[in-house]
Amino acid sequence: MKKISLMGLALLSLMAAGLSGCSSEDSLSRDNNNAAGVTIKASIDNPASRVAFKDEDSKLKTYWKDAAGVEKFSLHYTGASATNYLFVKGATTDAKSASFTCSSTPTVAANATVYAVYPGVSTNSANATTIGFSLKDQPGTEATTTSTGDVGDFNFMVASATVPEGGLSNVSFSFVHKVALVKMVLTFPADVTGPISNISINSAAMHNAGTYTLGTGAWSYTDAQKGSVSTKSDATFTLTNNKVTVWLAVFPEDLSSATDITITAKAGGFTYQAAMSGISFVASKVYSVSKTLAKVANFTADDYKTWSTENCGEAPS
């Protein structure tokens, strides 16, 4: 069985923004092509780059998820039939190796370019050349080794390879991360008891959805896709020593000139906020942000009366 070759996690110091980051890349090797389908075997050595990871001793350690049917990627190539080739990992207790199997056997000619998209996406055809991806309504939680429903579901990666004469089973994939991850440690005032919800990163220049083109390796966005990246509305977080830790995936965007970047959250009917300095989010990096949030003043009846008096001529009773 061929093994994944891995690059170490490189630390990036971003003092101006109060951030730090790390980048990584991993490779998959294919093995065992048979009539029943295609099985892909892969192994992981630490430090590695997968969707399941934990902060241990200030180091980012990453793992395959253990449960069956959780890890998935889809295969795409020109001329494919109207089939979604989804490769699914079986159950394993070995965090460093796993097998992915597709129930169908894709027919791919030698010298053809094939793409793998992770996490696996459902499309009408594996012939798709563009992949739409949304970063809306994220769980906000650190990826686990057991299940979905965490930031790992939004850790978008792509790999490409040329099929050799020996066929698809001899292809070697090297996945590259196409989004960035942000780990936020947020501190709230002492009188806040929680729960905390609606946590978001905001800027008029940000996008929360985009389209990735497989051939060019580029993201594109429309004005309609502008918006905050946030946790889903029903996600809540419990304070520990007046802090919560939240993970969000963001698109690789240059916000270094933005002056309106904020982190916001809600607790007890109030909004809390902290400002962030401009930052350029780079794909494949994990950024760590520590911020203390302050309560945003809510409008009162007197506020509305004053505004109405000055602008409409008569205050409401």
Side-chain angles (χ1 to χ4, degrees), residues 75-301:
L75 187 73
H76 307 263
Y77 58 95
T78 301
S81 60
T83 301
N84 186 42
Y85 294 118
L86 196 64
F87 286 77
V88 183
K89 186 189 78 61
T92 178
T93 57
D94 185 352
K96 302 298 182 287
S97 65
S99 294
F100 290 75
T101 301
C102 181
S103 58
S104 302
T105 304
T107 302
V108 189
N111 299 316
T113 300
V114 289
Y115 298 91
V117 175
Y118 188 101
V121 296
S122 297
T123 61
N124 293 330
S125 172
N127 191 27
T129 58
T130 58
I131 305 295
F133 199 69
S134 174
L135 295 180
K136 299 177 182 179
D137 301 325
Q138 299 185 40
T141 53
E142 177 183 19
T144 69
T145 61
T146 56
S147 63
T148 57
D150 54 47
V151 72
D153 299 345
F154 294 83
N155 190 15
F156 188 83
M157 298 192 297
V158 176
S160 65
T162 300
V163 178
E165 292 294 336
L168 192 60
S169 61
N170 295 309
V171 165
S172 178
F173 277 135
S174 179
F175 277 94
V176 177
H177 294 258
K178 296 300 180 179
V179 296
L181 300 180
V182 181
K183 175 189 177 183
M184 298 183 291
V185 178
L186 307 178
T187 302
F188 289 80
D191 60 345
V192 177
T193 58
I196 308 300
S197 64
N198 298 96
I199 301 170
S200 62
I201 303 174
N202 320 281
S203 172
M206 288 188 72
H207 296 84
N208 55 28
T211 300
Y212 184 85
T213 301
L214 293 173
T216 63
W219 286 103
S220 60
Y221 314 96
T222 66
D223 287 343
Q225 293 170 324
K226 285 186 175 181
S228 301
V229 173
S230 64
T231 59
K232 55 186 180 180
S233 59
D234 60 349
T236 58
F237 303 84
T238 302
L239 287 165
T240 301
N241 297 324
N242 291 99
K243 300 177 185 291
V244 296
T245 300
V246 180
W247 289 80
L248 289 175
V250 296
F251 287 113
E253 299 190 273
D254 186 1
L255 305 179
S256 57
S257 299
T259 59
D260 64 341
I261 306 175
T262 59
I263 296 172
T264 59
K266 290 186 177 180
F270 292 94
T271 298
Y272 294 80
Q273 180 175 284
M276 282 181 61
S277 54
I279 177 67
S280 181
F281 289 118
V282 178
S284 83
K285 298 192 181 298
V286 180
Y287 297 86
S288 180
V289 181
S290 296
K291 289 289 182 180
T292 298
L293 279 66
K295 183 187 292 186
V296 177
N298 289 344
F299 284 114
T300 66

